Amino acid sequence: MPNRDLIQVKLRPLSGDRFQPTGFPDIGTALYQRPHGADGWQDCLLLESAQSMANHLEATAWDRGNQLPVDAFAGLPYVRVVDPNGQFLASSRTEAHRLASAFVKDATFNGTDMKEVIRSRLGLRDDVPLSPRDIAGAVFALDPMCLVHGVFFAEKATVWPGQPKVARAVTAFVEAHDVKSVVSGGVKRDEVRHSVQGTGGASEGYGFVPFHRTEFVARDIEASFSIDRDQLDSYGLPLSATELLHALAQWEVRALLDRGFRPRTACDLVVSEDESVDTSLASLDELTTSVHRLTAQCASLFNTPLEVVWDRKRVKA
């Protein structure tokens, strides 16, 4: 049997019953049907996708006010990107592609192109097969969270031979079951221009502009999390490092559930009052203690956190 931590939790809107759905370009709301009962079907909605939930989980471990990792993650290495004046720009924790972000790969470290730094540290060479466990060890040393949430070194093969890829070890999504639409609307008022004849109409933001709005209600909303223990084991890291990755993944899940999350203006979700979070998931305080202990045990496996410089002029040239 696959070795997974499977956690399913019922959620509810923090206020009222309605929630704003997610939307996708050219698709709109992600409505679908699932089998229900002997022969029936039920209208459902994908409220948050796997890629969106990965962003929400990562956000729990980042202090946006100070642009630094939260205290529990402070001892872990990562790549911090600054401009030539030392102003924070991005990081391997906040960028969509993590270590393979354009801001990371197009930066320099002590004057050396980061593409070459990554190529060297991952041991990528032409005419040599990829060594997944060596790559996992090198990624762990640069930013272990890339082994939790995945990374794809997709630069052309002449830069990163083999283009190694690490899949997500944590997959999460939120579904709403037995949904019904709630259609409403409103109007953008203009107390100054009562007529938009001539220049300056609705497209420029003038005049009275009516609009429609579709929200949803659901019989239940469920968040699902899967931590792939088999994948964490497959990295071939020392036991303390594997346990650390597992604790980090659990910490993010627990933090998100404890705090609730608000993916959109009118979609603010918390755990239902009558729901007890899976007992296999320790408390946030217990997980924080585990993360600190295991981080100290893995110190010899980490690189020093890298501060790299992204220069607009250099990239443009």
Side-chain angles (χ1 to χ4, degrees):
M1 288 290 293
N3 187 12
R4 311 278 192 273
D5 287 350
L6 298 178
I7 303 160
Q8 293 183 303
V9 180
K10 299 289 186 182
L11 305 177
R12 64 170 179 84
L14 178 62
S15 178
D17 299 308
R18 292 171 290 121
F19 56 86
Q20 181 184 3
T22 189
F24 297 89
D26 302 323
I27 296 176
T29 303
L31 290 166
Y32 66 99
Q33 289 190 321
R34 70 170 185 173
H36 184 68
D39 300 305
W41 291 82
Q42 187 180 62
D43 292 327
C44 301
L45 182 146
L46 178 62
L47 190 51
E48 288 299 303
S49 64
Q51 57 269 28
S52 176
M53 287 300 289
N55 295 335
H56 293 304
L57 287 169
E58 288 177 290
T60 64
W62 187 260
D63 179 351
R64 289 180 62 87
N66 294 306
Q67 296 292 15
L68 289 169
V70 296
D71 289 343
F73 287 50
L76 303 174
Y78 73 107
V79 177
R80 183 176 182 84
V81 185
V82 299
D83 68 14
N85 297 317
Q87 179 70 36
F88 174 83
L89 294 176
S91 77
S92 58
R93 299 287 178 78
T94 55
E95 280 292 291
H97 297 289
R98 303 175 186 90
L99 282 173
S101 158
F103 284 99
V104 173
K105 70 183 182 181
D106 289 338
T108 58
F109 175 62
N110 291 337
T112 301
D113 192 321
M114 272 300 290
K115 292 175 183 175
E116 180 56 38
V117 172
I118 291 174
R119 174 185 174 123
S120 174
R121 298 202 180 192
L122 268 58
L124 305 180
R125 302 184 301 279
D126 289 326
D127 305 320
V128 176
L130 296 177
S131 175
R133 290 196 167 189
D134 289 345
I135 290 170
V139 170
F140 183 83
L142 286 166
D143 187 346
M145 296 312 298
C146 288
L147 297 181
V148 174
H149 292 294
V151 62
F152 182 21
F153 297 97
E155 189 68 42
K156 55 189 178 182
T158 54
V159 177
W160 288 333
Q163 299 174 307
K165 181 177 183 178
V166 178
R168 290 190 186 100
V170 178
T171 303
F173 51 85
V174 180
E175 296 173 334
H177 303 141
D178 197 7
V179 298
K180 301 292 182 183
S181 61
V182 180
V183 179
S184 62
V187 64
K188 192 281 291 182
R189 299 176 59 84
D190 189 333
E191 299 294 347
V192 177
R193 299 202 68 196
H194 303 290
S195 172
V196 290
Q197 295 178 354
T199 60
S203 61
E204 288 80 23
Y206 297 102
F208 285 72
V209 183
F211 61 88
H212 71 272
R213 180 185 185 90
T214 302
E215 297 170 298
F216 285 84
V217 292
R219 188 174 302 277
D220 64 72
I221 301 172
E222 187 171 76
S224 299
F225 304 87
S226 174
I227 302 174
D228 191 337
R229 300 289 298 276
D230 286 332
Q231 180 172 325
L232 299 181
D233 289 340
S234 74
Y235 296 145
L237 300 170
L239 180 59
S240 59
T242 303
E243 290 180 347
L244 174 60
L245 294 176
H246 185 220
L248 294 170
Q250 289 185 309
W251 190 97
E252 289 187 338
V253 173
R254 171 57 82 175
L256 184 141
L257 292 175
D258 282 3
R259 301 167 186 172
F261 67 110
R262 188 186 183 196
R264 284 168 298 284
T265 300
C267 188
D268 201 350
L269 303 174
V270 293
V271 175
S272 296
E273 295 94 337
D274 57 350
E275 181 78 352
S276 59
V277 177
D278 195 294
T279 55
S280 67
L281 198 59
S283 72
L284 195 60
D285 286 342
E286 291 171 323
L287 288 168
T288 299
T289 299
S290 295
V291 167
H292 284 153
R293 173 178 56 82
L294 293 164
T295 296
Q297 293 178 12
C298 294
S300 62
L301 303 175
F302 294 145
N303 293 148
T304 301
L306 302 185
E307 183 168 281
V308 302
V309 177
W310 185 89
D311 188 340
R312 177 190 297 272
K313 295 178 180 178
R314 177 179 178 274
V315 173
K316 188 175 181 179

